[in-house]
Amino acid sequence: MKKFILTIAGAGSTYTPGIVKSLLLNKEQFKLEELRLYDIDGERQGKVAVIVKKVVEEFDPEVKVTLTTEPEEAFKDVDFVFAQMRVGGYKMRELDEKIPLKYDVVGQETCGPGGMAYGLRTIFPMIELIDLVEKYAKRTHWIVNYSNPAAIVAEAVKRLRPRARIMNICDMPVGTMRNIAAILGCSREDLTVEYFGLNHYGWFTKIMVKGEDRTAEVREHARKHGLLLEDMSKIDVQHSEPSWVKTYGNIKYMVDMFPEYIPNPYMQYYLLPDHIVAHMNKERTRANEVMEGREKKIFDAVDKFNTTGEMDLSAFYVGVHGQFIVEVAMSLVFDLRKRFLVIVENNGAVKNLPDDAMVEIPAYITSNGPEAIRVGEIPTFYKGLIEQQLACEKLVVDAALENSYEKALQAFTMNRTVRSAFQAKQILDDLIEANKAYWPELK
Ligand code: NAD
Ligand code: G6P
Ligand code: MN
């Protein structure tokens, strides 16, 4: 049986233990010879690795685990790289969220000004990572990338490294499908959905269960309850936290007004920004919840292990996030042609959107990469919204490549979450100050 070498880039991530467990649960089919952990922050990675090693010990002790901060050691002859880096860490995420909120504008990790700020930090480190992998990895390697903001990352990579062997993915569509499946009383694998949009900006247009159209049932549920279930903790720990419960609940307002399609939960930031800001705690945003929750839980588990030798493996969970990246990788390597919602170049799949748009749509994942499935024409309302957001994302990439303040200001002004050019300028200027160590200079 072929064995694979796989590197996790950004291995100090809070998601690493869950992803590793998910990989090892598939060892009968997708056997690892070596798991390499790579991060620019050796200390953080070292802590997370304490849990990773415990997981390996428990689920597949044959796998060799290597920790490194050296690119050559990390990527030499690898088959796979799973990328999940957060440029600037949670400290910068917190500023991305809090600075726009000072102006009563949505403060969010990947949406609105915060998402654009995160994009300006991530474009060049992502290109650097691709180049390092290209230099050292096997010619047949694949990078499966979760690093956010995925829409801006995908646009930049398409322009700067069009031949990169990278699949950009997001767990939100598949996470939403998990809720939909629970609502319909079936498993996620039984669903076939139709969907179009950009990353964190799209809609489910049809939901089929084993050939039967069940969209109307989902719509009815969503109109009353959003995509909430009575007990969210049954499906996922992360998404049973208060802010995610609010997010899944807000879907009811959007489906009530626009019952045609079921929106990606992230549409709340663009369609209901006033409501979102009014119900946000400006002093304590999601970054604080994550630092005091998911991150603390992991570090506490490591501390406890170091002092008592006992490990609480419930400090992390696999969830749909860990499952999905492994499912995509397996479909790539074994040519399974599984149908997943992923980020691909449009090339006519959505007939009335530009060919070069990086869209999130269904595709068959083959050993040659994704084969996009044709969506056809989309209605004016959605087309207009998407074109505005797409222009915004393209302008962020332009701003980074051209060191252009004006393009950045255009992007911020165009975003639906921002009310005026004056406001865009104030937020942009504050973010420039906060991101001095990370952004390309904007002139
Ligand atoms: P985290 O801060 O816990 O982990 C990120 C790690 O990346 C850190 O250890 C950091 O040191 C490292 N890093 C930063 N810059 C790097 C670089 N240039 N090279 C290598 N490593 C680098 O963050 P997290 O909350 O666990 O999230 C990890 C990433 O996954 C983020 O980008 C997040 O937005 C993304 N994410 C994406 C999805 C999706 O749907 N696409 C879902 C969940 C998380
Ligand atoms: C979903 C999205 C990711 C995002 C994450 C944030 O999974 O698809 O793109 O990074 O949520 O979750 P968090 O728990 O860190 O707020
Ligand atoms: Mn996502």
Side-chain angles (χ1 to χ4, degrees), residues 355-369:
D355 278 352
D356 73 343
M358 293 305 287
V359 290
E360 196 163 69
I361 54 173
Y364 297 113
I365 308 303
T366 80
S367 52
N368 289 318

Side-chain angles (χ1 to χ4, degrees), residues 15 93 109 148 170-172 200 238 244 266 286 294:
Y15 291 101
R93 174 176 180 177
E109 177 198 18
N148 266 325
C170 167
D171 64 9
M172 197 73 260
H200 289 187
Q238 178 184 4
W244 278 106
Y266 279 95
R286 180 69 188 154
R294 187 168 70 234

